[in-house]
């Protein structure tokens, strides 16, 4: 019999080896069962998709398989020590399906490019060829390229290429032909106009298995034909040994390895220019699992603790599963699985087994084995006996037992273990009590739940076996909380009230009924409706339109009514014939303790158009905030950054051009973030190996590794994204996903973002991962440089200046300046200048006089070139000495004409200058008016006598002292005194010139006073003193010093004439004898008066005339 079985196993192995497996050679080997002397027979079984294979003739004979035989096969070997499971081998039947994408007909211009594509699913992957008019095309020529992915590219299309094309897919299973597609070639325009490069088919994000090939397609058009180049976004060099360019720009990476993963950029450039465009794609390298840490065999005593560790790596992150004797281990009170660890508490003899760690992802699986040996002790006590449990209340159960039958005197403590009886993965709780009692009340239980209990006795040598398990349920209690309401209106006179049944943890028993209360916001009278416990909705009718109603609800069990909910407000719609959208169907779901998912769909009966949605939300008892404006195409939104264990009110309505539609109201509570103390297990670690790669100017690709732990619960991730330095927390973007990669889209170009990720499992949230930073690629400028200005600064040189384009986050690496004379412009001959992005001006040299030049500027960056500005006309005239406007620029709203080397000012500048000039003129007029008013009161000579129109006035000393408060330094040069007198018509006026000698010992005589200005040096000195007087250096002493001649130094006739209005003459009366000090003081005083009068005497003749 054993030989027959051996032959059957060998046949099954032969069957598995020679059938194609996933399109690649995967050999599955298993030894036949052997008999060794002194050892038990090994029992071998085959499993398909985890289920034992039923033996039949078709399985063991080498017949053709069918689709029902596909799946994962494993070999299970077992003896008295335990059982082990082999790795999985996948069996795939060779097949080929119909074409998913057929080639389509195209019409192209002669000389351009044409592209056909087809797609088909097959195992193993098919070889794809193309036929032209039923004749096979070569895979690669100078103009034609056939990609393994099923793409046909034709460059430089000719008229001879017109015809029918079809795709042929072939593998070992069969051959299929696609439908034919026609290529039509139209004549090209003559002459051909220049065209900027344009990528018509760029690379796509792909995931490739390790050691396979990745194909990145890039096809571009333009005139002249663009050159295609490749680079990596992370600036790393491309592996030249494993990559090659196929055709006219397609990149193929062969034997791909993890280091080949990243973002690849295709760049199409016009030859001889800097005109180019870029497309990018991310390459993810998938790798099968590999173990970086594996479990080791352990020996532990009964009631001890065993820990196995298993860490696996791979892309995507492997899922770790624990097996016990070939069967999957489920978490329970004693056995826990987290962080890729298997922890077994309170070890019992049944735990003695072979344990395997299985790491699995889409690329394969790997296993590692370890054995747990349980050591028994003969002198340990027996298990506690006759355990029983009695319900005390809705949260307490009394547990009692008897001492062990053997070695009870050695017991030092008891350990009480309990957990919920229903469901899987329940947490087991443990309480240790002394040996002086055999009863204990557990008082932290949930109402209306079944629990299981057992007791273990401890002695110094170890623990006893577990006692028998006993089950008991707790009593019901009143509901802990009321349901959360959802409110909508189908008409202006009704409110549809609905709610979700309370979970068992909150209902604390079977809900027997609900009580719904409602009233208007302006009235205090409350209406109540009692509803049966199985109802979850109710329609309130005959209400008032456009009225705010307040509603609340309370639930009851057989024990009584619970706590009422808070009032929830809802406004009934207006009674109007306008067609506004009906209330959307709103669904709220807490993803974790800080995030809520909002989903909705339009009401089935809605017939009104929808322009967008408004979403309101606020914490209960807090004011309502401004709404979030959502697009009409949106049907979901995620709200993050909320507080745990808080109640939030959401309101959603659709709107159109008529107005806001009916609103839907709903209330939801965020769950609590379960702490380590609550769960008795550590929180999950955050995702690791987070990396971000820029995908485009508006998208960033994120990938991360899952922490090494195992759980049967689903895992969700929250991705946090915001620009660096963001101050408004409401603008932080939170995205939800259940996979380990995400393409974050709709970002701003050329902006640095920060990303962080956390995971959520069974309402348990990890900390945020370390922040990673990534900057989006810049976007090609969409606007030209602004404020372009041109001016001629020399005969053949002009200066052109500009500013950055008026768009946010624009990056400019260089500017291009085109300029040409009118004749050259007509001929299409432009002169080109380029400047770095930090420079915003350039010199245009070697300009020809008498020509009109056109100037325009464009901005460029690594993503492409922006448009050129409007042409600015620059006129360079031949005559630069005529004083006219010789330099003009016109033709643009941003241009400015120039004259005399300066800008012609715009209207705002002219207005400002005009206002400034007017203000200055007003100030000058006011100052002149003040001086004229003060001039009416004049000093006579150097005396204190003041004569005005009313006669002589004696001024006060204070006024005189104030008048001479502007004293300056004493000037010792000789001075010429200009005297003047005010007069009326018909009055004879005598003017004279008085010169003071430098010597103070020789007083001037009358002859000196009447001397002509041209006879001495006094006239020149007078001019010098005139300039000095303007400097403001005056003093009272200097003025008095000039009047040393006294009253005898001037004829009486002169004294009489000077006593008119003049205040510039010498003193009328002075003592004949003066000391040297007094003479100095008088000279200084008179000098000041003379200086003051020089401004008023400039127009008076300086010659002494006889009467």
């Amino acid at each position: 019999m054993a030989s027959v079985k051996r032959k059957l196993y060998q046949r099954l192995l032969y069957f598995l080896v020679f059938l194609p497996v996933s399109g690649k050679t995967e050999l599955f080997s298993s030894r036949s069962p052997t008999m060794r002397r002194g050892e038990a027979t090994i029992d071998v079984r085959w499993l398909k998709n985890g289920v034992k294979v039923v033996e039949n003739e078709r399985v063991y004979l080498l017949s053709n398989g069918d689709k029902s035989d596909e799946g994962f096969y494993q070999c299970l070997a077992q003896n008295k020590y335990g059982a082990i499971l082999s790795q999985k081998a996948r069996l795939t039947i060779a097949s080929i399906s119909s074409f998913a994408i057929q080639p389509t007909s195209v019409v192209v211009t002669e000389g351009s490019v044409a592209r056909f594509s087809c797609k088909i699913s097959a195992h193993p992957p098919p070889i794809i060829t193309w036929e032209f008019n039923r004749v096979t095309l070569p895979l690669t020529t100078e103009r034609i390229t056939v990609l393994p992915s099923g793409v046909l590219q034709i460059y430089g299309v000719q008229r001879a290429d017109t015809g029918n094309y079809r795709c042929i897919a072939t593998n070992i299973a069969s051959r299929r032909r696609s439908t034919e597609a026609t290529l039509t070639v139209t004549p090209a325009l003559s002459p051909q106009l220049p065209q900027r490069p344009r990528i018509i088919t760029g690379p796509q994000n792909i995931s490739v298995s390790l050691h396979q090939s990745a194909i990145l397609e890039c096809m571009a058009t333009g005139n002249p034909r663009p050159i295609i180049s490749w680079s990596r976004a992370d600036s790393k060099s491309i592996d030249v040994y494993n990559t090659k360019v196929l055709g006219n720009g397609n990149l193929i990476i062969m034997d791909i390895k993890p280091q080949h993963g990243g973002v690849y950029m295709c760049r199409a450039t016009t030859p001889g220019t800097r005109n180019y465009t870029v497309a990018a794609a991310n390459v993810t390298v998938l790798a099968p699992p590999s173990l970086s840490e594996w479990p080791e065999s352990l020996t532990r005593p009964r009631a001890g603790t065993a820990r196995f560790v298993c860490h696996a790596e791979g892309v995507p992150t492997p899922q770790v599963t624990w097996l016990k004797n070939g069967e999957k281990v489920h978490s329970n009170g004693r056995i826990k699985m987290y962080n890729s660890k298997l922890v077994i508490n309170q070890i019992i003899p049944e735990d003695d087994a072979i344990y395997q760690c299985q790491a699995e992802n889409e690329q394969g699986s790997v296993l590692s084995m370890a054995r747990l040996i349980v050591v028994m002790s003969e002198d340990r006590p027996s298990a506690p006996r006759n355990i029983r449990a009695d319900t005390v209340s809705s949260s307490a159960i009394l547990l009692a037992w008897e001492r062990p039958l053997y070695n009870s005197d050695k017991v030092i403590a008891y350990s009480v273990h309990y957990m919920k009886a229903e469901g899987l993965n329940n947490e087991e709780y443990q309480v240790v009590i002394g040996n002086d009692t055999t009863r204990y009340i557990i008082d932290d239980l949930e109402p209306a739940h079944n629990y299981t209990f057992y007791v273990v006795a401890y002695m110094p040598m170890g623990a006893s076996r577990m006692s028998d398990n006993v089950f008991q349920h707790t009593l019901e209690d009143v509901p802990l909380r009321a349901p959360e309401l959802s409110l909508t209106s189908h008409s202006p006179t009704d409110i549809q009230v609905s709610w979700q049944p309370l979970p068992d943890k909150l209902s604390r028993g079977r809900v027997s009924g609900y009580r719904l209360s409602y009233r208007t916001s302006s009235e205090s009278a409350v209406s109540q409706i009692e509803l049966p416990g199985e109802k979850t909705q109710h329609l309130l009718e005959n209400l008032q339109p456009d009225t705010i109603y307040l509603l609340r609800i309370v639930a009851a069990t057989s024990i009584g009514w619970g706590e009422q909910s808070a009032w929830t407000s809802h406004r009934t719609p207006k009674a109007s014939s306008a067609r506004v959208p009906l209330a959307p169907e709103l669904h709220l779901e807490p993803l974790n303790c800080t995030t809520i998912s909002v989903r909705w769909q339009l009401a089935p009966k809605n017939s009104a158009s929808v322009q967008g949605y408004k979403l309101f939300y606020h914490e209960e008892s807090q004011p309502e905030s401004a709404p979030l404006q959502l697009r009409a195409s949106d049907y979901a939104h995620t709200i993050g950054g909320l507080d745990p264990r808080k109640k939030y009110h959401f309101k959603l309505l659709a709107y159109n051009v008529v107005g806001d539609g009916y609103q839907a109201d709903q209330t939801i509570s965020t769950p609590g973030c379960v702490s380590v103390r609550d769960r008795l297990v550590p929180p999950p670690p955050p995702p690791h190996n987070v990396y971000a790669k820029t995908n485009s100017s508006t998208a960033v690709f994120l990938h991360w590794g899952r922490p090494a732990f195992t759980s049967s619960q689903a895992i969700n991730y929250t991705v946090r994204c915001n620009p660096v330095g963001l101050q408004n927390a409401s603008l932080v973007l939170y995205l939800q996903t259940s996979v380990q990669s995400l393409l974050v889209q709709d970002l701003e170009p050329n902006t640095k973002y920060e990303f962080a990720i956390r995971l959520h499992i069974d309402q348990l949230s990890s900390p945020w991962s370390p922040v990673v930073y990534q900057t989006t690629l810049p976007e090609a400028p969409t606007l030209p440089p602004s404020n372009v200005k041109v001016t001629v600064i020399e005969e053949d040189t002009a200066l052109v200046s500009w500013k950055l384009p008026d768009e946010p986050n624009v990056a400019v690496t260089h500017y291009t300046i085109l300029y040409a004379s009118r004749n050259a412009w007509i001929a299409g001959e432009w002169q080109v200048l380029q400047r770095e992005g930090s420079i915003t001006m350039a010199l245009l040299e070697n300009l020809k006089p008498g020509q009109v030049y056109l100037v325009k500027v464009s901005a460029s960056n690594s993503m492409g070139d922006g448009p050129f500005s409007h042409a600015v006309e620059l006129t360079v005239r031949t005559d630069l000495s005529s004083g006219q406007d010789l330099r003009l620029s016109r033709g643009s709203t941003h241009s400015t004409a120039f004259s005399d080397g300066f800008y012609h000012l715009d209207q705002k500048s002219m207005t400002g200058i005009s206002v400034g000039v007017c203000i200055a003129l007003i100030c000058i007029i006011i100052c002149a008016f003040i001086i004229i008013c003060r001039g009416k009161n004049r000093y006579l000579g150097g005396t204190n006598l003041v004569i005005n129109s009313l006669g002589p006035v004696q001024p006060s000393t204070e006024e005189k002292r104030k008048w001479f408060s502007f004293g300056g330094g004493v000037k010792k040069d000789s001075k010429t005194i200009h005297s003047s007198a005010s007069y009326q018509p018909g009055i004879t006026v005598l003017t004279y010139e008085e010169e003071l000698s430098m010597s103070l010992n020789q007083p001037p005589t009358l002859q000196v006073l009447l001397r002509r200005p041209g006879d001495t040096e006094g006239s020149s000195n007078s001019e010098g003193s005139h300039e000095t007087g303007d400097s403001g250096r005056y003093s009272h002493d200097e003025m008095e010093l000039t009047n040393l001649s006294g009253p005898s130094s001037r004829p009486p006739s002169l004294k009489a004439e000077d006593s008119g209005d003049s205040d510039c003459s010498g003193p009328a009366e002075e003592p004949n004898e003066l000391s040297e000090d007094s003479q100095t003081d008088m000279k200084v005083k008179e000098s000041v008066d003379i200086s003051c009068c020089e401004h008023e005497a400039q127009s008076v003749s300086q010659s002494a005339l006889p009467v």
Side-chain angles (χ1 to χ4, degrees):
M1 183 64 185
S3 62
V4 174
K5 285 189 175 182
R6 184 179 303 110
K7 185 178 296 184
L8 292 178
Y9 290 140
Q10 291 172 348
R11 287 183 177 180
L12 178 58
L13 175 61
Y14 187 76
F15 169 77
L16 288 174
V17 168
F18 284 92
L19 279 179
V21 180
S22 300
K24 56 185 178 182
T25 304
E26 290 188 10
L27 300 182
F28 183 88
S29 61
S30 173
R31 295 174 180 264
S32 300
T34 59
M35 291 287 295
R36 293 186 181 180
R37 184 172 300 177
E39 293 187 2
T41 303
I42 299 177
D43 179 26
V44 177
R45 291 178 295 171
W46 285 95
L47 305 178
K48 174 190 173 183
N49 296 331
V51 180
K52 182 180 179 181
V53 175
V54 179
E55 298 180 5
N56 57 58
E57 292 299 322
R58 187 182 61 78
V59 170
Y60 297 112
L61 295 179
L62 297 177
S63 59
N64 290 331
D66 56 29
K67 280 290 185 181
S68 63
D69 295 324
E70 289 187 331
F72 292 93
Y73 288 84
Q74 291 175 284
C75 170
L76 178 66
Q78 185 174 10
N79 64 8
K80 66 178 182 179
Y81 300 109
I84 59 173
L85 196 64
S86 69
Q87 291 186 355
K88 292 181 179 181
R90 183 178 182 181
L91 171 63
T92 303
I93 305 298
S95 63
I96 186 168
S97 63
S98 300
F99 280 93
I101 298 177
Q102 299 273 7
T104 58
S105 300
V106 293
V107 178
V108 299
T109 305
E110 185 178 0
S112 61
V113 296
R115 179 182 183 271
F116 296 98
S117 66
C118 66
K119 185 177 182 181
I120 193 170
S121 177
H123 294 285
I127 297 174
I128 295 180
T129 58
W130 286 85
E131 291 183 351
F132 170 55
N133 292 334
R134 306 295 177 93
V135 177
T136 302
L137 286 171
L139 294 181
T140 303
T141 66
E142 184 179 352
R143 295 190 306 110
I144 298 176
T145 302
V146 178
L147 298 182
S149 57
V151 174
L152 172 63
Q153 299 174 344
I154 306 175
Y155 280 86
V157 175
Q158 303 172 359
R159 287 186 176 273
D161 296 327
T162 302
N164 298 322
Y165 295 81
R166 70 176 180 179
C167 170
I168 311 296
T170 307
N171 71 356
I172 61 175
S174 181
R175 171 180 294 180
R176 291 191 181 274
R177 295 176 175 85
S178 70
T179 59
E180 290 187 335
T182 302
L183 173 62
T184 304
V185 181
T186 60
L189 298 177
S190 183
Q192 293 187 1
L193 299 176
Q195 292 182 350
R196 294 174 61 87
R198 181 171 62 91
I199 295 178
I200 57 177
T201 303
Q204 302 295 319
N205 294 338
I206 57 172
S207 297
V208 185
S209 300
L210 199 65
H211 304 302
Q212 299 300 305
S213 296
I215 302 173
L216 297 174
E217 182 183 4
C218 188
M219 195 174 186
T221 182
N223 187 28
R225 180 176 167 182
I227 299 173
I228 295 178
S229 59
W230 288 89
S231 62
R232 290 179 57 119
D234 55 8
S235 300
K236 294 181 180 179
S237 60
I238 294 180
D239 185 2
V240 296
Y241 297 102
N242 292 81
T243 60
K244 69 177 182 178
V245 176
L246 183 61
N248 291 277
N250 309 289
L251 186 69
I252 295 185
I253 308 174
M254 300 168 294
D255 189 21
I256 198 166
K257 297 179 177 61
Q259 61 265 28
H260 292 142
V263 176
Y264 288 78
M265 302 175 63
C266 165
R267 174 168 170 165
T269 307
T270 300
T273 70
R274 294 192 178 183
N275 295 331
Y276 61 88
T277 183
V278 177
N282 184 74
V283 176
T284 302
V285 180
L286 305 178
S290 61
L291 294 179
S292 58
E293 189 174 1
W294 44 88
E296 297 180 353
S297 297
L298 300 173
T299 299
R300 292 290 184 271
R302 186 172 61 180
T305 299
R307 291 180 175 86
F308 295 104
V309 179
C310 181
H311 286 166
E313 298 175 350
V315 179
T317 303
Q319 179 81 19
V320 177
T321 305
W322 287 95
L323 305 174
K324 175 185 176 182
N325 289 336
E327 297 182 356
K328 187 175 181 179
V329 177
H330 294 282
S331 178
N332 57 36
R334 292 190 311 108
I335 302 175
K336 298 180 177 63
M337 290 177 290
Y338 56 90
N339 294 351
S340 296
K341 296 179 181 178
L342 173 65
V343 180
I344 304 175
N345 296 311
Q346 294 295 323
I347 294 176
I348 59 176
E350 289 77 8
D351 295 329
D352 192 317
I354 296 176
Y355 293 85
Q356 288 180 283
C357 163
Q358 178 177 270
E360 185 177 14
N361 66 7
E362 300 170 358
Q363 302 300 303
S365 62
V366 64
L367 291 97
S368 182
M369 179 188 71
R371 185 183 175 188
L372 173 61
I373 300 175
V374 180
V375 178
M376 306 295 293
S377 177
E378 297 299 332
D379 58 350
R380 294 186 181 182
S382 57
R385 301 173 297 153
N386 300 332
I387 184 171
R388 57 189 182 275
D390 297 316
T391 300
V392 177
S393 66
S394 62
S395 60
I397 290 179
L398 171 63
L399 192 67
W401 62 93
E402 295 182 3
R403 294 179 179 274
L405 184 61
Y406 303 105
N407 296 325
S408 60
D409 56 332
K410 298 180 180 179
V411 173
I412 58 175
Y414 293 98
S415 174
V416 176
H417 301 257
Y418 62 97
M419 66 178 179
K420 290 181 181 178
E422 298 94 353
L424 298 175
N425 298 321
N426 293 319
E427 295 293 335
E428 181 180 279
Y429 300 92
Q430 177 181 359
V431 180
V432 177
I433 59 176
N435 63 352
D436 56 344
T437 182
T438 56
R439 58 175 53 205
Y440 185 76
I441 295 178
I442 299 99
D443 57 359
D444 57 351
L445 307 178
E446 296 180 11
H449 277 82
N450 287 326
Y451 285 86
T452 178
F453 303 86
Y454 69 89
V455 183
V456 176
Y458 282 86
M459 59 178 295
M461 296 298 297
S464 69
R465 290 177 300 165
M466 296 166 42
S467 68
D468 295 332
N469 284 285
V470 61
F471 296 87
Q472 188 62 23
H473 67 277
T474 53
L475 299 176
E476 289 187 348
D477 205 340
V478 296
L480 187 63
R481 199 167 64 193
E484 291 165 342
L485 296 178
S486 177
L487 309 174
T488 57
S489 291
H490 302 301
S491 72
T493 59
D494 66 32
I495 297 178
Q496 178 70 45
V497 186
S498 59
W499 59 91
Q500 293 293 328
L502 289 171
D504 294 340
K505 191 172 183 178
L506 299 179
S507 64
R508 304 205 288 190
R510 189 184 68 85
V511 175
S512 58
Y514 297 98
R515 181 185 296 157
L516 180 63
S517 304
Y518 65 96
R519 65 179 177 88
T520 64
S521 60
S522 59
E523 299 177 357
S524 59
V526 178
S527 301
Q528 293 184 344
I529 302 175
E530 292 196 4
L531 305 170
E534 60 272 10
K535 292 201 66 174
T536 58
Q537 61 181 2
H538 182 73
L539 181 63
L540 296 177
E541 299 179 298
N542 301 323
L543 304 178
Q544 303 174 18
D546 195 20
T547 304
I548 297 178
Y549 280 86
L550 303 178
L551 301 93
R552 67 182 180 185
I553 194 172
V554 61
T557 62
S558 60
I559 305 299
W561 295 97
E563 181 182 357
Q564 294 189 105
S565 67
W567 289 106
T568 301
S569 64
H570 179 82
R571 180 186 290 273
T572 54
K574 296 179 181 180
S576 172
S577 59
R579 297 187 61 185
V580 295
L582 298 179
E585 296 180 0
L586 181 62
H587 304 279
L588 303 178
E589 179 185 2
L591 298 179
N592 51 69
C593 58
T594 61
T595 309
I596 290 178
S597 172
V598 185
R599 293 178 292 108
W600 64 89
Q601 59 185 10
L602 282 173
K605 298 181 180 180
N606 180 70
S607 59
S609 62
V610 175
Q611 191 175 350
Y613 296 94
K614 295 180 181 179
L615 176 62
F616 303 78
Y617 73 94
H618 62 92
E619 185 181 340
E620 192 175 62
S621 74
Q622 296 295 326
E624 189 173 79
S625 57
L628 297 175
Q629 298 285 344
L630 304 175
R631 297 172 295 185
S633 58
D634 293 338
Y635 291 98
H637 190 75
T638 301
I639 304 296
L642 305 178
D643 294 331
R645 299 185 187 275
K646 296 289 185 180
K647 187 172 289 188
Y648 287 86
H649 182 75
F650 285 79
K651 180 173 69 176
L652 179 71
L653 57 87
Y655 66 90
N656 57 18
V657 293
V658 179
D660 292 344
Y662 295 3
Q663 68 185 40
D665 293 87
Q666 191 170 340
T667 303
I668 190 172
S669 297
T670 53
C673 293
V674 182
S675 64
V676 178
R677 184 175 59 257
D678 297 332
R679 295 293 304 267
L680 299 181
V681 294
H688 57 79
N689 296 336
V690 180
Y691 70 88
K693 290 189 178 295
T694 303
N695 211 44
S696 66
S697 59
T698 60
V700 171
F701 180 77
L702 296 176
H703 189 275
W704 58 89
R706 173 180 168 178
F709 70 93
T710 303
S711 175
S712 60
Q713 300 291 332
I715 294 180
N716 293 313
Y717 299 92
T718 298
V719 177
R720 187 186 71 202
C721 166
N722 60 271
V724 174
L726 182 66
Q727 300 296 328
N728 190 351
S730 63
L731 299 180
V732 178
L733 182 63
Y734 294 91
L735 302 173
Q736 302 295 323
T737 182
S738 58
V739 296
Q740 293 166 227
S741 61
L742 182 67
L743 184 64
V744 184
Q745 298 177 315
D746 299 329
L747 303 178
E748 293 294 329
N750 196 32
T751 304
K752 187 176 183 179
Y753 285 86
E754 62 179 37
F755 301 90
I757 305 169
R758 71 190 306 183
L759 66 83
H760 313 281
I761 176 171
D762 192 22
Q763 297 187 2
L764 191 64
S765 299
S766 74
W768 288 104
S769 67
V771 175
V772 295
Y773 299 92
Q774 191 63 37
T775 302
T776 53
L777 295 175
E779 200 171 34
T782 59
L783 296 177
S786 61
N787 203 22
V788 178
K789 300 177 181 179
V790 188
T791 180
V792 175
I793 58 177
E794 293 181 2
E795 292 185 2
D796 61 346
T797 305
L799 176 68
V800 56
S801 63
W802 60 88
K803 293 183 179 179
L804 279 171
D806 292 332
E807 54 182 317
N809 299 326
V810 62
V812 178
T813 58
H814 65 275
Y815 293 96
T816 302
I817 304 99
L818 300 182
Y819 68 99
S821 63
R822 280 193 180 276
N823 297 332
W825 170 72
I826 294 174
E829 298 175 354
W830 290 92
Q831 298 188 56
V832 182
L833 293 177
Q834 287 197 339
R835 293 294 181 267
E836 294 182 1
S838 59
I839 300 174
T840 57
M841 62 178 62
L843 287 177
L844 310 180
E845 298 177 319
N846 300 323
L847 303 180
K848 298 179 180 179
Q851 295 285 337
V852 177
Y853 284 84
L854 300 177
V855 183
K856 56 184 181 180
V857 187
S858 76
S860 306
N861 59 22
S862 58
M863 302 304 294
D865 300 329
F868 279 93
S869 63
H870 294 295
V872 179
E873 290 188 2
L874 172 67
T875 301
V876 182
R877 298 187 179 179
T878 56
D879 186 6
L880 294 179
S881 61
S882 60
Q884 298 177 352
D885 185 9
L886 304 180
R887 288 151 285 195
L888 301 175
S889 66
R890 61 183 184 276
S892 172
T893 56
H894 297 291
S895 65
T896 303
F898 298 86
S899 176
D900 298 330
F902 297 97
Y903 290 109
H904 275 308
L905 301 172
D906 55 17
Q907 185 176 0
K908 292 184 178 179
S909 301
M910 287 297 299
T911 303
I913 293 176
S914 300
V915 172
V917 171
C918 292
I919 294 175
L921 289 175
I922 293 173
C923 293
I924 293 173
I925 294 172
I926 293 174
C927 293
F929 179 75
I930 294 174
I931 293 174
I932 292 173
C933 292
R934 287 191 174 183
K936 290 183 179 181
N937 295 331
R938 303 177 184 273
Y939 288 94
L940 182 59
T943 68
N944 294 332
L945 180 63
V946 178
I947 303 176
N948 59 19
S949 57
L950 300 178
V953 179
Q954 183 70 28
S956 62
T957 306
E958 290 78 1
E959 293 177 351
K960 183 177 180 180
R961 186 176 299 113
K962 180 177 181 182
W963 175 261
F964 294 113
S965 61
F966 301 95
V970 176
K971 187 173 183 63
K972 296 184 180 181
D973 296 338
S974 62
K975 297 187 177 292
T976 302
I977 304 170
H978 303 278
S979 301
S980 65
S982 59
Y983 58 89
Q984 297 295 331
I987 298 177
T988 301
V989 178
L990 174 65
T991 61
Y992 62 94
E993 184 178 75
E994 179 181 359
E995 179 176 351
L996 296 181
S997 176
M998 288 294 293
S999 176
L1000 297 180
N1001 298 325
Q1002 298 178 359
T1005 63
L1006 179 61
Q1007 183 181 0
V1008 175
L1009 286 174
L1010 299 179
R1011 184 180 302 165
R1012 295 181 60 88
D1015 297 338
T1016 64
E1017 296 177 358
S1019 60
S1020 61
N1021 291 339
S1022 174
E1023 293 177 3
S1025 63
H1026 198 71
E1027 295 176 0
T1028 306
D1030 289 342
S1031 66
R1033 299 179 61 184
Y1034 312 131
S1035 71
H1036 179 71
D1037 295 337
E1038 185 180 5
M1039 174 182 161
E1040 292 180 346
L1041 195 61
T1042 61
N1043 295 294
L1044 299 178
S1045 61
S1048 62
S1049 62
R1050 188 172 300 180
S1053 61
L1054 289 181
K1055 296 179 184 178
E1057 295 291 334
D1058 290 349
S1059 63
D1061 294 327
S1062 176
D1063 59 351
C1064 298
S1065 61
E1069 296 180 2
E1070 288 294 336
N1072 293 328
E1073 296 181 4
L1074 297 173
S1075 65
E1076 185 176 353
D1077 293 339
S1078 62
Q1079 289 178 359
T1080 304
D1081 292 341
M1082 291 177 65
K1083 181 176 180 180
V1084 174
K1085 178 178 178 181
E1086 186 173 357
S1087 174
V1088 176
D1089 285 345
I1090 292 172
S1091 299
C1092 294
C1093 297
E1094 283 177 347
H1095 295 287
E1096 300 176 5
Q1098 289 178 5
S1099 62
V1100 181
S1101 175
Q1102 299 181 359
S1103 301
L1105 302 178
V1107 179

